[in-house]
Amino acid sequence: RTKKRRQGLTLRRAHRRKKPFKSCPEGGADERDLTLLKAYVGENGTLVPGRIAGTASRHQRLLSAAVKRARFLALLPYTDKHF
């Protein structure tokens, strides 16, 4: 790294595009709002990380709790495969 800087070459960082912030409705995410929850659950049943989904950490925690409640109530599947 230092050799490249001495030679006059600068290292560039990859530019990360800002993701649009999708906020939760007032009062947090509801476990019965399946259209909202399905947007944050991946195709194999896992939660989409907040850095990819563009949610703040507080909203991500509210979403994860709502998804867990919806799974417990059998509104959302735990996995994509059912045997």
Side-chain angles (χ1 to χ4, degrees):
R1 204 172 194 189
T2 57
K3 289 181 182 179
K4 289 183 180 180
R5 287 186 183 170
R6 285 185 203 145
Q7 294 172 357
L9 300 176
T10 58
L11 297 175
R12 293 186 184 192
R13 292 182 183 227
H15 178 69
R16 291 180 59 170
R17 185 175 60 91
K18 284 201 161 204
K19 296 166 203 71
F21 176 69
K22 301 174 194 171
S23 65
C24 295
E26 291 300 320
D30 188 23
E31 64 267 8
R32 292 168 295 202
D33 189 8
L34 295 180
T35 56
L36 176 72
L37 295 181
K38 284 182 181 180
Y40 293 101
V41 175
E43 59 187 21
N44 57 355
T46 59
L47 284 170
V48 177
R51 59 185 166 80
I52 295 175
T55 57
S57 61
R58 180 171 183 249
H59 291 111
Q60 185 72 14
R61 285 192 297 270
L62 292 173
L63 279 170
S64 67
V67 167
K68 289 175 186 177
R69 283 192 305 267
R71 285 175 177 164
F72 181 75
L73 295 172
L75 299 174
L76 283 177
Y78 280 95
T79 62
D80 60 340
K81 298 178 182 176
H82 297 284
F83 296 106

